[in-house]
Amino acid sequence: MRKNEISVDEMRSAIEDKLCAYFSVTSENATREQVFQASAMVIRELMSRLKTFNEQNNTGKQVHYMSMEFLIGRSLMKNAYNLGVGEALTQALEDMGFHAGDVFEAEPDAGLGNGGLGRLAACYLDSMTTEGINATGYSICYELGIFRQIIKDGKQTEVADNWRLAAEGWLVPHYDEAVEVRFGGYISPNWDANGKYTAEYAGYQSVIAVPRDMLIAGYDGIQVNTLRLWDAHSPQDLDMYQFSSGRYVKSMEERTMAEVITKVLYPADDHMEGKTLRLKQQYFFVSASAQTILRQHRKQWKDVRSFPEHHVIQINDTHPTLIIPELMRILMDEDGLGWDEAWDIVTRTVAYTNHTVMAEALEKWPQDLIQRTLPRIWEIICEINRRWRETLIGWYGESETMVRNLIIHDGLVHMANLCLAACFKVNGVSGLHGDILKRDVFKDIYVKQPEKFTYVTNGIDHRRWLSQVNPGLHGLICDLIGDGYLLHPEEMSGLDAFRDDESVLLRLEDIKRANKVRFGEFARKQQPDFLLNPDAVLDVQAKRLHEYKRQLMCAMLITHLRSWIHDNPNAPFLPRTFVFAAKAAPGYAVAKRIIELICSLSRDVNSDPLCKDKLQVFFLENYRVSAAEMLMPAAQVSEQISTAGKEASGTGNMKLMMNGAITIGTLDGANVEMYERLGDENMFLFGLRTEEVEELRRHYDPMAVCNASPRLWNVIGQLNRGFSDGKSYSDLTNMLLYGGDTYMVLADFDSYAECSERLYTTMADTKKRSQISLSNIARSGIFAADRAIREYAEDIWKL
């Protein structure tokens, strides 16, 4: 099937047929939600036919991409676009009397992710499909997913987001492929006369994993892959004895405890119940996936010994690490292999992507929790640890180095160390991050197994994050260099030839302004009293709220700017609007407090008569993929200001760059590679470098830094005094002054403020800022996910 094979009339007829068959309505009395569902069914059927055809020809190595998150956003327009039927769908909806945009808006964002990790997985699955790679994504079919964020009284509150109700058109259950996952119980060891060990598992609780598949179309409508999402069910819907005895709640207990596994993404884990649930989630989805992959392999290839020749499993961060002992369990307990044979298969199949150097992301589980919840897996981990310990002793003897690299020590199971022991490749996600893993985080293993380590710089789905969400810019690019960049993003470099073409630069400014107007309309729907100034520079920090990402430092800069305006009310000041978009983890008190500060600051700045038409602050509530699709094309300044050495890569920086935003940032994560391509003339750098952060930390005195900076003391004083809502933020300033300023906010502040002044001096020159914007777009092709997937395929997966 190729592009444009379906006419508008055929599309309209197919949608009308679904409306009649499934909803007993016609287009004349259907709701937009019903029309969306009918449209999704039509697109899904097109993909199903393509997938059936493809599966007859797919005999190559399969990639299995495992991630706790797949932040795919909305699927209707994306899949239609990739299939080449987007225009036919849009026109068919208009002919039926609906505004196509309203129908697309009826689709909720799939609540399958939180931030960059999940968005990256979604981009990669799209690129794998476009590149013709036979791949399957695996995750959990979260009923409520990530929470819906509501700002109430200036504070973040979390509300359940039941996205699945409106997304059933995409989710196809396969009850015939359900598998059993076991928790708890005990192991009875048995040794036969030949000394072979078998484990008899008893007293366990069963949960049934039911796959619900979403189909993903590649660009050009040729390849279709699957995102398999696991839904948890109880083997017993109701305890009839309890129910008949009048204990109705008790009768549903087993079902409730099973279904809670797939209720929400990342339940709070600051208590043992939350930790237990998270562990169950991780094992549930990797066990179900491993069982399915091996079952399919046996059906197609018979002998499990050939498994590594036909499959590669990529685990996206440490969350799916239990796939390692689970594969061992199945190969030994079900297929009857010995340890060495099973270990050889696993260690030639599983590769690990590390996404951060932050301590909380290098997961550690209490060993008694694993022992209690997953007794057979605990046995296998213990044996892996015993053998790994022997290897470490051979390298380092009985030493501290040996101990810190053990899988089990200090009463904890260290998941990253399990990955180091078992995975054939370990990759970082940017050049800097790869170097940090080698020289710091995993240095002990790197010096002994350097061939195991590499990096693949992250990438984004440029078709979605440029051509789809920014049609004006896409049109300009096509007029200048053609549409070949859609499959060959490196061709975007040709745009640099137009850097001095004034007509191109003027058109680029017009596109950016139109995008700001569109975003302003979107923002006003959320906050009716906010009126965006489209002639102001749109300065954006859009990312998960975390201290190391330093949204606090940006808020401090705004506090300084407001004070400067008060001191210099008649001085020239280039109008600017700061937009924050971020969710804080429900249990992350400091992050939620920073959101509260931003909201206090926003109210005061936006109501300040001296700041009118000069300075605005807007907090974008409930940031999600569909909101990013409005924000990214409108942004003119990209705030990438994390503490050097803390951000593994970042992908928001790439999306903003690709849409022409100019970066102010530190040399952190993929900013390093952006800077290598942009240079000082096209990017604004400030702050300490990674090695300078580590050096300063040895003798850092935050109070001395403040004493040397009147500007900084003024900001600290303002935060201490508080705002018109009566809230003081001395707790945050005390954390900086007396709590060690862990993320070097004070140390970098003056450099940041001075860099911002240089940036806005440049932004005042319309021609210059358009030239820099064009160069950013031109040099962003290297950050396309297609390039990253080719590197994985060639260097890691060996496809």
Side-chain angles (χ1 to χ4, degrees):
M1 184 177 293
R2 297 287 177 178
K3 283 190 170 189
N4 304 319
E5 283 194 357
I6 297 174
S7 69
V8 174
D9 288 342
E10 288 171 326
M11 180 65 75
R12 184 178 62 247
S13 177
I15 296 171
E16 291 274 16
D17 180 65
K18 299 300 180 197
L19 287 172
C20 180
Y22 288 89
F23 303 103
S24 301
V25 296
T26 67
S27 59
E28 293 180 356
N29 59 347
T31 66
R32 70 170 189 165
E33 287 76 17
Q34 290 171 330
V35 173
F36 156 67
Q37 291 280 12
S39 301
M41 291 175 191
V42 171
I43 298 301
R44 190 188 76 205
E45 287 185 7
L46 289 175
M47 292 191 291
S48 294
R49 293 190 184 99
L50 277 169
K51 184 164 179 61
T52 301
F53 174 78
N54 290 338
E55 285 181 343
Q56 298 169 8
N57 302 290
N58 276 335
T59 56
K61 201 171 191 178
Q62 272 193 290
V63 175
H64 306 279
Y65 197 88
M66 301 203 168
S67 178
M68 283 293 284
E69 302 181 36
F70 276 88
L71 194 56
I72 58 176
R74 292 169 173 164
S75 295
L76 178 57
M77 193 57 209
K78 175 60 178 171
N79 282 323
Y81 176 86
N82 278 0
L83 290 168
V85 298
E87 292 182 9
L89 174 62
T90 298
Q91 190 57 55
L93 294 173
E94 298 287 346
D95 291 351
M96 292 165 63
F98 290 88
H99 184 258
D102 291 340
V103 175
F104 300 143
E105 285 286 324
E107 179 177 10
D109 283 59
L112 297 169
N114 178 33
L117 186 78
R119 187 56 237 161
L120 182 79
C123 287
Y124 278 3
L125 190 53
D126 180 276
S127 283
M128 281 187 272
T129 310
T130 298
E131 290 290 312
I133 295 171
N134 184 15
T136 304
Y138 299 86
S139 193
I140 290 176
C141 194
Y142 304 102
E143 181 183 338
L144 303 175
I146 192 65
F147 60 86
R148 182 160 57 92
Q149 180 193 55
I150 293 177
I151 302 300
K152 186 175 182 182
D153 298 326
K155 298 179 182 180
Q156 171 182 295
T157 56
E158 301 88 33
V159 178
D161 182 18
N162 198 343
W163 68 278
R164 260 173 43 175
L165 287 176
E168 289 296 324
W170 298 119
L171 298 167
V172 180
H174 293 275
Y175 295 102
D176 58 319
E177 297 182 39
V179 296
E180 180 188 30
V181 180
R182 298 172 176 179
F183 297 100
Y186 58 92
I187 302 297
S188 296
N190 284 299
W191 298 87
D192 65 18
N194 297 317
K196 185 174 181 179
Y197 174 84
T198 56
E200 291 187 7
Y201 197 1
Y204 54 81
Q205 297 86 45
S206 291
V207 175
I208 304 302
V210 176
R212 295 168 70 89
D213 290 352
M214 293 183 77
L215 298 181
I216 307 294
Y219 180 72
D220 225 8
I222 298 172
Q223 176 84 11
V224 174
N225 281 326
T226 300
L227 172 57
R228 171 151 285 195
L229 304 170
W230 293 103
D231 202 7
H233 293 261
S234 170
Q236 182 172 290
D237 286 335
L238 186 71
D239 185 329
M240 284 302 299
Y241 174 78
Q242 299 283 2
F243 190 86
S244 299
S245 302
R247 294 187 285 270
Y248 305 124
V249 174
K250 187 73 174 174
S251 71
M252 297 287 289
E253 188 176 81
E254 184 178 337
R255 176 177 175 179
T256 301
M257 292 307 294
E259 292 177 354
V260 77
I261 292 174
T262 54
K263 191 66 73 174
V264 299
L265 170 66
Y266 297 148
D269 62 351
D270 52 353
H271 45 74
M272 187 51 67
E273 291 80 4
K275 283 184 172 63
T276 303
L277 180 54
R278 281 207 185 193
L279 180 65
K280 283 186 172 182
Q281 285 185 328
Q282 292 183 9
Y283 181 68
F284 169 79
F285 109 84
V286 300
S287 175
S289 301
Q291 291 181 63
T292 297
I293 296 167
L294 278 163
R295 181 172 62 188
Q296 291 170 346
H297 175 85
R298 294 186 199 101
K299 181 178 179 182
Q300 184 173 5
W301 302 103
K302 312 303 181 190
D303 186 3
V304 293
R305 291 170 178 83
S306 65
F307 190 76
E309 281 73 57
H310 300 290
H311 305 272
V312 61
I313 297 172
Q314 189 73 40
I315 59 176
N316 196 28
D317 223 344
T318 53
H319 309 121
T321 301
L322 290 172
I323 190 75
I324 294 164
E326 177 64 6
L327 285 171
M328 291 293 292
R329 182 193 70 79
I330 297 170
L331 291 170
M332 292 189 297
D333 295 357
E334 297 181 18
D335 291 294
L337 300 187
W339 180 278
D340 291 340
E341 209 171 12
W343 185 248
D344 177 67
I345 290 171
V346 173
T347 56
R348 289 194 291 132
T349 302
V350 183
Y352 161 52
T353 300
N354 174 279
H355 278 279
T356 184
V357 296
M358 301 297 290
E360 65 266 30
L362 295 175
E363 289 182 302
K364 307 170 189 68
W365 292 104
Q367 67 178 55
D368 62 331
L369 175 60
I370 293 184
Q371 189 171 5
R372 182 174 64 251
T373 309
L374 307 169
R376 178 60 176 141
I377 294 301
W378 168 249
E379 283 190 340
I380 294 168
I381 291 174
C382 286
E383 181 61 15
I384 296 173
N385 183 68
R386 185 188 69 78
R387 293 172 183 238
W388 181 237
R389 186 177 187 277
E390 290 177 357
T391 299
L392 292 170
I393 289 174
W395 289 342
Y396 294 109
E398 294 279 359
S399 64
E400 182 183 334
T401 301
M402 181 276 290
V403 171
R404 69 171 171 251
N405 286 286
L406 288 172
I407 298 164
I408 304 170
H409 70 91
D410 294 334
L412 298 170
V413 178
H414 297 253
M415 306 307 274
N417 289 350
L418 179 53
C419 291
L420 294 177
C423 295
F424 70 87
K425 279 290 182 183
V426 176
N427 73 278
V429 289
S430 71
L432 175 63
H433 180 229
D435 288 342
I436 291 172
L437 295 183
K438 292 175 183 179
R439 70 170 186 258
D440 184 10
V441 183
F442 300 144
K443 64 180 179 181
D444 300 330
I445 309 305
Y446 169 70
V447 297
K448 298 298 182 181
Q449 298 179 317
E451 73 285 351
K452 180 178 282 194
F453 292 83
T454 187
Y455 77 90
V456 178
T457 299
N458 283 347
I460 61 172
D461 175 5
H462 68 291
R463 288 171 290 272
R464 181 172 206 144
W465 291 107
L466 196 163
S467 58
Q468 267 194 276
V469 306
N470 200 341
L473 181 56
H474 170 66
L476 174 61
I477 294 172
C478 290
D479 289 346
L480 298 178
I481 61 170
D483 66 356
Y485 85 97
L486 291 171
L487 287 172
H488 304 283
E490 63 276 7
E491 292 182 8
M492 292 167 67
S493 62
L495 294 171
D496 255 334
F498 300 92
R499 188 179 168 98
D500 295 318
D501 188 322
E502 301 224 356
S503 65
V504 171
L505 300 178
L506 181 61
R507 189 171 164 191
L508 191 62
E509 276 289 313
D510 290 342
I511 291 167
K512 186 62 74 173
R513 191 182 191 281
N515 288 335
K516 287 194 287 184
V517 169
R518 185 176 66 142
F519 174 72
E521 293 168 352
F522 175 81
R524 199 166 190 187
K525 289 179 183 177
Q526 176 179 299
Q527 194 171 312
D529 60 347
F530 180 78
L531 184 62
L532 179 75
N533 176 7
D535 295 315
V537 173
L538 198 67
D539 193 316
V540 171
Q541 191 174 19
K543 51 185 77 246
R544 180 170 51 89
L545 205 305
H546 198 291
E547 289 166 86
Y548 84 86
K549 295 177 185 289
R550 300 201 293 193
Q551 286 94 341
L552 175 58
M553 189 165 72
C554 189
M556 291 169 63
L557 175 66
I558 298 167
T559 303
H560 160 66
L561 292 174
R562 183 188 180 210
S563 179
W564 189 92
I565 290 171
H566 277 245
D567 292 341
N568 305 274
N570 299 316
F573 186 88
L574 184 65
R576 61 204 72 172
T577 300
F578 287 87
V579 175
F580 293 88
K583 288 181 177 179
Y588 193 172
V590 173
K592 295 175 85 167
R593 185 70 170 142
I594 293 170
I595 288 178
E596 194 174 354
L597 164 62
I598 294 168
C599 292
S600 292
L601 181 61
S602 174
R603 275 192 297 268
D604 278 19
V605 168
N606 295 343
S607 62
D608 187 336
L610 289 178
C611 292
K612 183 175 173 58
D613 297 326
K614 291 183 178 180
L615 185 63
Q616 288 180 300
V617 183
F618 180 68
F619 188 89
L620 179 57
E621 184 179 86
N622 197 36
Y623 189 52
R624 58 204 184 278
V625 174
S626 57
E629 290 171 343
M630 289 288 183
L631 180 59
M632 297 294 172
Q636 291 173 282
V637 173
S638 169
E639 299 273 353
Q640 305 300 328
I641 61 176
S642 55
T643 312
K646 293 299 181 184
E647 186 73 80
S649 173
T651 52
N653 48 2
M654 300 171 185
K655 298 180 187 93
L656 288 159
M657 176 188 182
M658 196 170 277
N659 280 279
I662 300 170
T663 298
I664 177 171
T666 54
L667 272 178
D668 194 28
N671 287 1
V672 175
E673 285 149 279
M674 289 166 58
Y675 177 67
E676 289 170 356
R677 287 156 179 83
L678 293 170
D680 288 323
E681 66 274 18
N682 296 303
M683 188 173 174
F684 291 79
L685 287 182
F686 72 91
L688 299 166
R689 302 327 195 225
T690 302
E691 62 278 5
E692 293 171 335
V693 169
E694 297 310 314
E695 175 61 28
L696 179 60
R697 202 181 299 281
R698 296 190 183 100
H699 53 82
Y700 184 42
D701 183 353
M703 185 63 74
V705 172
C706 279
N707 286 334
S709 173
R711 170 170 46 197
L712 192 47
W713 263 126
N714 183 48
V715 171
I716 294 292
Q718 178 61 60
L719 298 186
N720 286 340
R721 289 190 298 274
F723 298 88
S724 61
D725 56 10
K727 295 177 182 177
S728 164
Y729 293 92
S730 58
D731 54 327
L732 295 180
T733 61
N734 287 341
M735 180 181 68
L736 300 177
L737 290 169
Y738 310 113
D741 187 17
T742 305
Y743 300 106
M744 301 289 172
V745 172
L746 302 178
D748 273 349
F749 181 77
D750 276 348
S751 175
Y752 175 45
E754 290 158 10
C755 186
S756 182
E757 289 177 21
R758 296 199 311 274
L759 168 63
Y760 275 90
T761 298
T762 301
M763 295 298 288
D765 183 336
T766 304
K767 179 180 178 180
K768 184 66 174 174
R769 78 187 186 198
S770 295
Q771 288 177 316
I772 296 174
S773 178
L774 186 65
S775 289
N776 270 263
I777 299 164
R779 301 175 197 184
S780 66
I782 189 68
F783 298 112
D786 290 2
R787 181 270 315 154
I789 287 302
R790 289 179 198 131
E791 291 181 13
Y792 274 101
E794 293 169 11
D795 300 336
I796 298 178
W797 303 334
K798 306 297 183 184
L799 302 186

